[in-house]
DNA sequence: GAGGAGATCGTCT
DNA sequence: GACGATCTCCTCT
């Protein structure tokens, strides 16, 4: 990483989830696990707006499960879904106001062998299309990302993204995103038509294929 | 290559 | 007891 790399602060997350979701594209998600550094560039996010957003876990109010979403900005909300998978979010907006951003996909950057191993993927030594297809399988999806990074609710729910001592951090290394696309969110039934999914246009590491329209600023 | 359905269990009602 | 911010495998075209 370049010397210009800097960790995101709480003020970055103390904004509308739609603004944060878009701004997170291109940032590096860094995980320290058992002495190893795992990192990926965020290429796809979804915004969840809080109590007015029926698709958000916080829609029905605060519970033990979703309390992190109602807390201060910049903290990890991890939940277990479909009996198999974890999903990783970061809380947004001030303490007491619900809102968050779901990390949906990232491009592997560092610790790729460790992440592939965690996913049960064997990477070939040589490159080519077959290797790229396997690299996509490491972290193109929220459940896949969590498995690759070793994220679990027990270990990471409520953890700070903005503490310099945290083993879960997000940094800006100066990478600039050329074009952002906005589509409807994936896998939900309520408020499903809202364009709140943000992805880097043309990036091969995004999940799914539902591309509805190109972003014109923040929706 | 695309689409459908099953797996599997925590959370909420 | 029902549902779900997913993934993978299997079948069909």
């Amino acid at each position: 990483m370049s010397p210009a790399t800097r960790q995101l602060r709480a003020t970055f997350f103390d904004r509308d989830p739609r603004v944060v979701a878009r701004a997170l594209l291109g940032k590096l998600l860094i995980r320290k696990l058992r002495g190893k550094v795992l990192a990926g560039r965020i290429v796809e996010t979804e915004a969840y707006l809080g109590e007015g957003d029926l698709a958000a876990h916080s829609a029905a109010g605060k519970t033990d499960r979703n309390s992190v979403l109602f807390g201060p900005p910049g903290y990890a909300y991890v939940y277990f879904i479909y009996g198999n998978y974890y999903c990783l979010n970061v809380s947004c907006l001030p303490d007491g106001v619900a809102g968050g951003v779901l990390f949906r996909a990232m491009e592997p950057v560092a610790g790729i062998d460790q992440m592939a191993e965690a996913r049960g993927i064997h990477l070939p030594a040589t490159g080519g299309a077959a290797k790229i297809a396997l690299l996509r399988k490491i972290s193109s999806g929220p459940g896949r990302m969590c498995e690759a990074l070793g994220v679990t609710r027990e270990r990471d729910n409520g953890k700070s993204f903005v503490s310099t001592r945290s083993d879960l951090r997000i940094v800006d290394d100066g990478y600039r995103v050329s074009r952002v696309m906005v589509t409807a969110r994936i896998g939900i039934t309520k408020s499903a038509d809202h364009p709140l999914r943000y992805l880097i246009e043309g990036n091969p590491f995004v999940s799914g294929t539902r591309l509805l329209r190109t972003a014109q600023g923040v929706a």
Side-chain angles (χ1 to χ4, degrees):
Chain A
M1 281 183 282
S2 76
T5 294
R6 59 187 176 81
Q7 182 174 358
L8 302 186
R9 302 183 185 194
T11 51
F12 179 93
F13 299 99
D14 192 3
R15 296 183 287 175
D16 187 296
R18 289 167 290 196
V19 177
V20 177
R22 193 183 193 287
L24 279 172
L25 295 177
K27 303 296 188 289
L28 289 175
L29 178 57
I30 297 177
R31 164 69 149 186
K32 287 185 181 171
L33 190 66
R34 292 188 285 273
K36 305 274 188 182
V37 175
L38 313 177
R41 192 172 303 285
I42 299 164
V43 299
E44 181 180 343
T45 58
E46 281 182 0
Y48 287 87
L49 305 182
E51 296 189 60
D53 180 1
L54 296 179
H57 285 183
S58 50
K62 188 177 180 179
T63 65
D64 284 345
R65 180 198 191 197
N66 66 23
S67 61
V68 175
L69 290 174
F70 289 81
Y75 285 77
Y77 167 52
V78 183
Y79 64 89
F80 190 66
I81 191 75
Y82 297 120
N84 276 312
Y85 306 101
Y86 291 100
C87 291
L88 175 64
N89 300 246
V90 59
S91 62
C92 300
L93 298 171
D95 194 1
V97 183
V101 173
L102 169 70
F103 297 100
R104 284 197 54 91
M106 68 179 190
E107 177 180 346
V109 171
I112 296 174
D113 289 339
Q114 284 81 15
M115 291 192 284
E117 185 180 346
R119 293 272 299 123
I121 295 169
H122 178 72
L123 293 176
T126 54
K131 184 169 184 176
I132 291 173
L134 287 173
L135 285 171
R136 281 198 74 244
K137 285 187 148 191
I138 292 177
S139 54
S140 60
R144 293 172 173 183
M145 268 186 68
C146 286
E147 190 169 40
L149 295 172
V151 169
T152 67
R153 179 171 173 85
E154 296 74 27
R155 182 188 286 152
D156 299 301
N157 190 53
K159 188 171 282 182
S160 173
F161 274 107
V162 295
S163 164
T164 55
R165 290 170 301 185
S166 179
D167 57 17
L168 208 50
R169 295 183 297 134
I170 301 172
V171 304
D172 182 353
D173 68 343
Y175 181 89
R176 288 290 167 259
V177 176
S178 52
R179 284 181 77 81
V180 172
M181 296 192 80
V182 181
T183 80
R185 293 174 293 188
I186 287 181
I188 58 174
T189 54
K190 304 166 191 166
S191 302
D193 54 339
H194 295 199
L196 295 173
R197 173 180 175 236
Y198 300 83
L199 51 132
I200 297 177
E201 184 176 338
N203 189 289
F205 293 92
V206 301
S207 72
T209 54
R210 290 169 56 185
L211 309 177
L212 302 183
R213 66 184 179 89
T214 303
Q216 301 295 326
V218 172

mmCIF file of all heavy atoms in Angstrom, chain A residues 5 12-13 28 34 49 76 78 93 130 148 170 178 185 196 198:
data_model
loop_
_atom_site.group_PDB
_atom_site.id
_atom_site.type_symbol
_atom_site.label_atom_id
_atom_site.label_comp_id
_atom_site.label_asym_id
_atom_site.label_seq_id
_atom_site.Cartn_x
_atom_site.Cartn_y
_atom_site.Cartn_z
ATOM 1 N N THR A 5 -1.990 5.929 2.046
ATOM 2 C CA THR A 5 -3.100 5.153 2.589
ATOM 3 C C THR A 5 -3.526 5.679 3.951
ATOM 4 O O THR A 5 -2.698 5.948 4.808
ATOM 5 C CB THR A 5 -2.668 3.679 2.726
ATOM 6 O OG1 THR A 5 -2.449 3.148 1.435
ATOM 7 C CG2 THR A 5 -3.732 2.866 3.432
ATOM 8 N N PHE A 12 -16.696 9.589 8.362
ATOM 9 C CA PHE A 12 -16.990 9.042 7.027
ATOM 10 C C PHE A 12 -18.319 8.289 7.040
ATOM 11 O O PHE A 12 -19.114 8.363 6.088
ATOM 12 C CB PHE A 12 -15.859 8.111 6.604
ATOM 13 C CG PHE A 12 -16.059 7.466 5.246
ATOM 14 C CD1 PHE A 12 -15.540 8.055 4.101
ATOM 15 C CD2 PHE A 12 -16.763 6.275 5.119
ATOM 16 C CE1 PHE A 12 -15.715 7.469 2.853
ATOM 17 C CE2 PHE A 12 -16.951 5.682 3.876
ATOM 18 C CZ PHE A 12 -16.418 6.287 2.744
ATOM 19 N N PHE A 13 -18.566 7.569 8.146
ATOM 20 C CA PHE A 13 -19.764 6.730 8.232
ATOM 21 C C PHE A 13 -20.964 7.467 8.825
ATOM 22 O O PHE A 13 -22.076 6.960 8.792
ATOM 23 C CB PHE A 13 -19.458 5.492 9.084
ATOM 24 C CG PHE A 13 -18.358 4.641 8.514
ATOM 25 C CD1 PHE A 13 -17.065 4.736 9.006
ATOM 26 C CD2 PHE A 13 -18.610 3.781 7.461
ATOM 27 C CE1 PHE A 13 -16.048 3.961 8.478
ATOM 28 C CE2 PHE A 13 -17.596 3.008 6.913
ATOM 29 C CZ PHE A 13 -16.305 3.100 7.427
ATOM 30 N N LEU A 28 -10.284 -0.190 0.432
ATOM 31 C CA LEU A 28 -9.736 -1.493 0.789
ATOM 32 C C LEU A 28 -10.286 -1.952 2.129
ATOM 33 O O LEU A 28 -10.212 -1.219 3.122
ATOM 34 C CB LEU A 28 -8.208 -1.435 0.862
ATOM 35 C CG LEU A 28 -7.458 -1.291 -0.462
ATOM 36 C CD1 LEU A 28 -5.958 -1.127 -0.189
ATOM 37 C CD2 LEU A 28 -7.681 -2.509 -1.345
ATOM 38 N N ARG A 34 -5.074 -14.281 12.557
ATOM 39 C CA ARG A 34 -3.998 -15.219 12.901
ATOM 40 C C ARG A 34 -2.654 -14.782 12.304
ATOM 41 O O ARG A 34 -1.929 -15.590 11.704
ATOM 42 C CB ARG A 34 -4.358 -16.626 12.430
ATOM 43 C CG ARG A 34 -5.527 -17.236 13.199
ATOM 44 C CD ARG A 34 -5.715 -18.692 12.845
ATOM 45 N NE ARG A 34 -6.323 -18.885 11.544
ATOM 46 C CZ ARG A 34 -7.636 -18.912 11.319
ATOM 47 N NH1 ARG A 34 -8.478 -18.757 12.312
ATOM 48 N NH2 ARG A 34 -8.114 -19.086 10.112
ATOM 49 N N LEU A 49 -31.642 1.709 4.832
ATOM 50 C CA LEU A 49 -31.895 3.066 5.308
ATOM 51 C C LEU A 49 -32.445 3.190 6.727
ATOM 52 O O LEU A 49 -32.628 4.297 7.199
ATOM 53 C CB LEU A 49 -32.853 3.771 4.338
ATOM 54 C CG LEU A 49 -32.389 3.776 2.878
ATOM 55 C CD1 LEU A 49 -33.382 4.531 2.014
ATOM 56 C CD2 LEU A 49 -30.996 4.365 2.749
ATOM 57 N N ALA A 76 -19.244 -2.872 13.040
ATOM 58 C CA ALA A 76 -19.623 -4.033 12.232
ATOM 59 C C ALA A 76 -20.909 -4.662 12.757
ATOM 60 O O ALA A 76 -21.021 -4.977 13.942
ATOM 61 C CB ALA A 76 -18.498 -5.061 12.245
ATOM 62 N N VAL A 78 -22.917 -7.993 12.030
ATOM 63 C CA VAL A 78 -22.802 -9.299 11.383
ATOM 64 C C VAL A 78 -24.013 -10.142 11.753
ATOM 65 O O VAL A 78 -24.372 -10.231 12.922
ATOM 66 C CB VAL A 78 -21.519 -10.039 11.818
ATOM 67 C CG1 VAL A 78 -21.396 -11.366 11.066
ATOM 68 C CG2 VAL A 78 -20.303 -9.177 11.570
ATOM 69 N N LEU A 93 -24.795 6.760 10.144
ATOM 70 C CA LEU A 93 -25.620 7.762 10.847
ATOM 71 C C LEU A 93 -25.276 7.814 12.341
ATOM 72 O O LEU A 93 -24.615 6.940 12.871
ATOM 73 C CB LEU A 93 -27.104 7.493 10.619
ATOM 74 C CG LEU A 93 -27.554 7.584 9.154
ATOM 75 C CD1 LEU A 93 -28.976 7.086 8.976
ATOM 76 C CD2 LEU A 93 -27.421 9.007 8.651
ATOM 77 N N ALA A 130 -9.442 -19.660 -16.376
ATOM 78 C CA ALA A 130 -9.914 -20.571 -15.326
ATOM 79 C C ALA A 130 -9.563 -20.031 -13.936
ATOM 80 O O ALA A 130 -10.369 -20.118 -13.002
ATOM 81 C CB ALA A 130 -9.292 -21.945 -15.526
ATOM 82 N N ALA A 148 -14.468 -15.952 3.274
ATOM 83 C CA ALA A 148 -13.076 -15.705 2.873
ATOM 84 C C ALA A 148 -12.307 -14.951 3.959
ATOM 85 O O ALA A 148 -11.133 -15.216 4.205
ATOM 86 C CB ALA A 148 -13.047 -14.920 1.562
ATOM 87 N N ILE A 170 -11.100 -0.293 7.236
ATOM 88 C CA ILE A 170 -11.303 0.117 5.852
ATOM 89 C C ILE A 170 -10.389 1.308 5.592
ATOM 90 O O ILE A 170 -10.379 2.269 6.376
ATOM 91 C CB ILE A 170 -12.767 0.508 5.589
ATOM 92 C CG1 ILE A 170 -13.689 -0.675 5.907
ATOM 93 C CG2 ILE A 170 -12.939 0.932 4.134
ATOM 94 C CD1 ILE A 170 -15.155 -0.323 5.857
ATOM 95 N N SER A 178 -13.932 4.863 -11.650
ATOM 96 C CA SER A 178 -14.259 5.604 -12.867
ATOM 97 C C SER A 178 -15.767 5.777 -13.019
ATOM 98 O O SER A 178 -16.273 6.891 -13.158
ATOM 99 C CB SER A 178 -13.670 4.896 -14.088
ATOM 100 O OG SER A 178 -14.042 3.537 -14.091
ATOM 101 N N ARG A 185 -31.687 -3.709 -5.165
ATOM 102 C CA ARG A 185 -30.990 -4.625 -4.273
ATOM 103 C C ARG A 185 -31.367 -6.079 -4.590
ATOM 104 O O ARG A 185 -32.389 -6.345 -5.221
ATOM 105 C CB ARG A 185 -31.305 -4.284 -2.811
ATOM 106 C CG ARG A 185 -30.717 -2.940 -2.414
ATOM 107 C CD ARG A 185 -31.144 -2.511 -1.034
ATOM 108 N NE ARG A 185 -32.568 -2.231 -0.978
ATOM 109 C CZ ARG A 185 -33.167 -1.687 0.090
ATOM 110 N NH1 ARG A 185 -32.458 -1.379 1.163
ATOM 111 N NH2 ARG A 185 -34.459 -1.468 0.069
ATOM 112 N N LEU A 196 -30.703 0.887 -4.640
ATOM 113 C CA LEU A 196 -29.789 1.148 -3.517
ATOM 114 C C LEU A 196 -28.582 0.216 -3.527
ATOM 115 O O LEU A 196 -27.868 0.115 -2.547
ATOM 116 C CB LEU A 196 -30.546 0.998 -2.184
ATOM 117 C CG LEU A 196 -31.657 2.031 -1.953
ATOM 118 C CD1 LEU A 196 -32.448 1.687 -0.697
ATOM 119 C CD2 LEU A 196 -31.062 3.426 -1.835
ATOM 120 N N TYR A 198 -24.956 -0.489 -5.198
ATOM 121 C CA TYR A 198 -23.913 0.278 -5.875
ATOM 122 C C TYR A 198 -22.770 -0.655 -6.256
ATOM 123 O O TYR A 198 -22.327 -1.467 -5.454
ATOM 124 C CB TYR A 198 -23.383 1.390 -4.958
ATOM 125 C CG TYR A 198 -24.460 2.356 -4.536
ATOM 126 C CD1 TYR A 198 -25.295 2.068 -3.457
ATOM 127 C CD2 TYR A 198 -24.666 3.545 -5.225
ATOM 128 C CE1 TYR A 198 -26.307 2.943 -3.072
ATOM 129 C CE2 TYR A 198 -25.675 4.430 -4.854
ATOM 130 C CZ TYR A 198 -26.491 4.119 -3.777
ATOM 131 O OH TYR A 198 -27.490 4.979 -3.415
#
